[in-house]
Amino acid sequence: MSDQLIYSTALDDGMPALLSSFITGQARHETGNYTHRFFTLGKNAFGYSYNKLSKWQIQGGDRADNGVPIAQYRSVADSVHELTDWIKRRQKEGKFPKDLTQIRSASEYAMLLKKSGYYQAPLSVYVSGIVNALKKLPENIYKAIPPGGNIIVLLIIVGVAFYFLTKQNQ
């Protein structure tokens, strides 16, 4: 149920079908397959911290490990709206492509999130989490990773890691 709601909301917000699949996988990853208390109690599908200026959040709830209150939403759809609005702002900043259909893999999506400051975990961990979550989605939301897709993901991860390591050493 949550998979379909998240996917449909992302589509309704103007996200392409493949990106909507990645967003759904991201939600599944972020929430531990929709079992985390931030999701079950606060309808927070993406781990957002509370921001009183957000038009989607209703209040802060439990505190995360870093002591920051986690956002609570009226609905899971509002949590998705928060993320799709964030992506649209990153598009305007030039951090996401103007044509979101150019995002063709979970690793590309995770890399864009990372470069935009969305998460702090190592890229390989986040990509792995999304890819594993995608495998659990209903077929109508995400068709299987194409043959050789795992090798491509691994090569992209290695390339991105090399890029960031060489950039830090400059």
Side-chain angles (χ1 to χ4, degrees):
M1 181 168 136
S2 293
D3 289 332
Q4 190 61 52
L5 174 64
I6 292 165
Y7 179 76
S8 297
T9 303
L11 283 175
D12 291 346
D13 285 353
M15 301 292 112
L18 188 57
L19 180 55
S20 295
S21 297
F22 299 149
I23 289 169
T24 307
Q26 177 188 7
R28 194 176 257 281
H29 168 63
E30 291 273 356
T31 63
N33 294 312
Y34 309 119
T35 62
H36 198 280
R37 73 181 190 278
F38 298 152
F39 180 77
T40 59
L41 298 176
K43 300 174 183 70
N44 189 333
F46 301 99
Y48 268 93
S49 298
Y50 176 64
N51 177 345
K52 65 181 177 183
L53 300 177
S54 169
K55 69 180 180 180
W56 302 110
Q57 300 173 13
I58 55 173
Q59 65 187 25
D62 290 346
R63 295 187 181 274
D65 295 341
N66 62 3
V68 176
I70 297 298
Q72 292 187 341
Y73 297 87
R74 282 182 190 82
S75 67
V76 173
D78 283 352
S79 180
V80 177
H81 296 317
E82 181 101 66
L83 178 71
T84 59
D85 281 357
W86 182 89
I87 289 171
K88 290 172 185 176
R89 288 193 306 274
R90 301 300 82 79
Q91 280 184 287
K92 289 177 183 173
E93 296 169 354
K95 294 179 180 179
F96 265 62
K98 287 190 186 299
D99 178 2
L100 295 174
T101 62
Q102 292 178 352
I103 303 170
R104 303 294 307 156
S105 71
S107 57
E108 287 178 69
Y109 178 56
M111 189 177 357
L112 289 165
L113 292 170
K114 178 80 168 172
K115 287 171 62 175
S116 298
Y118 184 84
Y119 65 91
Q120 300 302 315
L123 178 64
S124 60
V125 171
Y126 206 80
V127 169
S128 176
I130 292 177
V131 168
N132 287 332
L134 288 171
K135 294 175 187 175
K136 297 174 184 171
L137 296 179
E139 189 174 324
N140 70 314
I141 294 177
Y142 185 77
K143 309 250 186 267
I145 297 172
N150 290 331
I151 293 170
I152 293 168
V153 168
L154 179 61
L155 291 173
I156 290 171
I157 291 169
V158 169
V160 170
F162 179 76
Y163 169 78
F164 281 114
L165 286 173
T166 56
K167 191 168 184 167
Q168 287 177 346
N169 292 330
Q170 291 179 354

